[in-house]
Amino acid sequence: MDWANVEAAVRDQIVAFVRRMRVEHADDRIYGAAVHEFYAEAGGVIAWPTIGVASEESLASVVTDRHDADALRWSPADWPWQLDPGEAEDGWAGRVEAAATADGGKRWHAVHDRFERAVARACKAARRTLIDEGVVDREFVAVAMDEAWELIPLSLTRTQVRRHFPELDEEQRAIDRLTALPPAQRVIELIAIADSPTPAPPGAERARAWLRELGAEAVPAILGHLPAAREAWPWAKLLGELGTPTREVVAELDAIAGNGRLGEPDRAWAAAALSRLGRMDLVTARLDRLPLEVAVRGLIAPYTSFRDVGVHEPLDYGPLEAALAEHPALHGPVCNRLAPGSGYCTIDTDEAEAAFAGLASPWAGVRRHAVFVLADTALTPDQRERYDAELHRLATDPDTLVRDAIAVACR
């Protein structure tokens, strides 16, 4: 990719739009431009974003009783001045997408990340150009605003972030403080933040993500915290994501799953975590005594998008097939919860063999799941040829669940 020209295309688009708004609204105090509405589909589409420009006057025009100026100041989707991508920008987006999807999409995430960083750099360059030309004053900022706000600090200086996005600055200062702590103390504070009803910065979601990054190092403190936790299910879920099936972890999760005095969410997430950690056998041993929702959640966990967060075991339909062989009446509920659109796991190319084995499963729910996960996998040419042959074979499957899946996959 010609990343220099991608960056220049974004820069020039911002500059041209701000110049135009300056001409059309000569008396307005233009304070910012935002590149927003980033849209991409992992492994596929990468769209060119939209550009919004705002002045104090245009901001005032969209203020309502429900949303004041402070709430809308950096909500570019609500600004009245918007510029959609044109033919040239769509052409650049197509080239970026082609680069990302080449070689079966193996570099998609790297290319997408570089595209977003090019947009952030373009914002800085556009601001310099506009200030040098006298189109705006030095208080003006141009910022890339993705949904997670991860590009904002890449677009602005630390001083600008502090001024315009103080919540991000507060979050960064909290991260800096936690980073400086000894590891054991850091884990304790992250657990306290994640379990608080009013989490301090950097927030509960970031604290849990940090604990996942720490991996096995965080497990003893999490186990120690569980008896005093406000709810057990977030910690059972996290233990499943950490991927450390120690004897202590497995025993704690098994105890939660089997505790009839606990609520269904606590027990269901504990069962799901056990299965993610490769211990579906413990869930299967309790199936006769578990509520249906807890049982089904425990059986489907390794095959849902829950598996994609954190560390996971390789795809293996064997434990599910063994459980269904002992409890065939659960096949219907499992199929209902593993219906298309429910959120399947994403598998790697080296897990394709396990999915191909699933296509020959005696259980229709497994065959259907395998059809869809293989459809979304970057297969080698040989694997793709084999998959197409399997689709042809399964087109006459005796079960309508599988035949319907084949029809969708072929489309």
Side-chain angles (χ1 to χ4, degrees):
M1 274 302 303
D2 184 352
W3 291 110
N5 276 331
V6 170
E7 182 179 329
V10 180
R11 178 201 63 208
D12 292 347
Q13 194 184 21
I14 297 170
V15 169
F17 190 39
V18 175
R19 285 175 183 157
R20 194 179 106 200
M21 292 301 98
R22 168 55 67 217
V23 171
E24 294 180 7
H25 307 274
D27 296 328
D28 276 25
R29 294 163 292 168
I30 297 176
Y31 68 83
V35 183
H36 66 110
E37 292 189 12
F38 288 85
Y39 179 78
E41 298 175 3
V45 174
I46 297 178
W48 199 264
T50 297
I51 296 173
V53 172
S55 68
E56 298 294 348
E57 291 76 11
S58 69
L59 176 65
S61 73
V62 295
V63 168
T64 66
D65 292 339
R66 293 183 59 192
H67 302 290
D68 62 19
D70 287 342
L72 298 176
R73 178 166 291 275
W74 293 108
S75 179
D78 294 302
W79 298 349
W81 304 343
Q82 302 287 337
L83 180 65
D84 292 328
E87 186 176 338
E89 289 76 32
D90 285 338
W92 277 113
R95 288 191 281 277
V96 172
E97 182 181 316
T101 55
D103 299 325
K106 294 177 183 177
R107 297 180 60 248
W108 189 92
H109 291 285
V111 172
H112 179 250
D113 180 68
R114 188 157 185 186
F115 172 64
E116 291 192 328
R117 289 174 180 273
V119 173
R121 288 193 298 272
C123 288
K124 289 184 173 181
R127 177 180 181 271
R128 287 193 299 269
T129 299
L130 290 164
I131 291 173
D132 290 345
E133 293 179 354
V135 177
V136 295
D137 61 31
R138 299 194 65 82
E139 300 303 312
F140 171 89
V141 294
V143 59
M145 296 190 68
D146 57 319
E147 187 174 355
W149 282 24
E150 292 176 351
L151 297 179
I152 292 174
L154 302 181
S155 310
L156 306 176
T157 66
R158 186 73 181 263
T159 300
Q160 290 167 341
V161 171
R162 186 177 302 116
R163 177 176 180 181
H164 299 288
F165 301 94
E167 60 271 50
L168 285 182
D169 180 65
E170 185 181 9
E171 179 179 308
Q172 186 58 54
R173 284 187 281 113
I175 290 171
D176 292 343
R177 182 187 68 81
L178 289 164
T179 301
L181 293 175
Q185 183 62 34
R186 185 187 312 137
V187 169
I188 290 171
E189 293 213 22
L190 288 171
I191 289 173
I193 291 170
D195 205 34
S196 172
T198 55
E205 184 176 346
R206 181 66 183 91
R208 284 191 288 268
W210 202 335
L211 290 167
R212 280 196 296 271
E213 293 167 12
L214 291 168
E217 187 178 352
V219 168
I222 292 172
L223 291 175
H225 174 74
L226 254 171
R230 292 187 302 120
E231 296 176 299
W233 73 263
W235 303 103
K237 179 175 181 288
L238 183 57
L239 287 171
E241 293 165 348
L242 289 174
T244 53
T246 64
R247 182 172 54 193
E248 294 79 10
V249 167
V250 170
E252 183 66 31
L253 292 172
D254 191 35
I256 294 172
N259 189 341
R261 297 187 300 275
L262 293 175
E264 196 169 86
D266 292 337
R267 301 181 70 190
W269 277 111
L274 281 170
S275 292
R276 265 203 59 168
L277 294 173
R279 296 307 309 270
M280 192 184 290
D281 59 308
L282 296 177
V283 178
T284 303
R286 292 184 180 275
L287 286 177
D288 288 332
R289 305 184 299 278
L290 293 177
L292 180 62
E293 176 65 13
V294 176
V296 172
R297 288 276 294 280
L299 295 182
I300 69 171
Y303 315 105
T304 68
S305 56
F306 169 45
R307 187 197 88 133
D308 296 342
V309 179
V311 179
H312 62 77
E313 295 288 309
L315 179 70
D316 181 6
Y317 291 115
L320 175 59
E321 292 173 326
L324 293 176
E326 290 186 37
H327 302 270
L330 289 175
H331 182 245
V334 164
C335 287
N336 291 338
R337 288 301 301 270
L338 274 183
S342 61
Y344 290 162
C345 62
T346 300
I347 67 171
D348 298 325
T349 304
D350 59 4
E351 296 178 284
E353 283 304 316
F356 277 115
L359 295 176
S361 172
W363 300 98
V366 172
R367 299 197 298 276
R368 179 178 69 178
H369 185 275
V371 165
F372 282 119
V373 295
L374 281 168
D376 293 331
T377 303
L379 300 175
T380 66
D382 287 346
Q383 289 173 330
R384 177 59 57 184
E385 183 177 349
R386 179 181 172 191
Y387 178 61
D388 290 342
E390 289 289 339
L391 293 183
H392 180 74
R393 178 182 67 81
L394 291 169
T396 57
D397 191 274
D399 197 294
T400 184
L401 291 178
V402 181
R403 294 197 302 274
D404 289 346
I406 297 300
V408 173
C410 288
R411 286 201 298 272

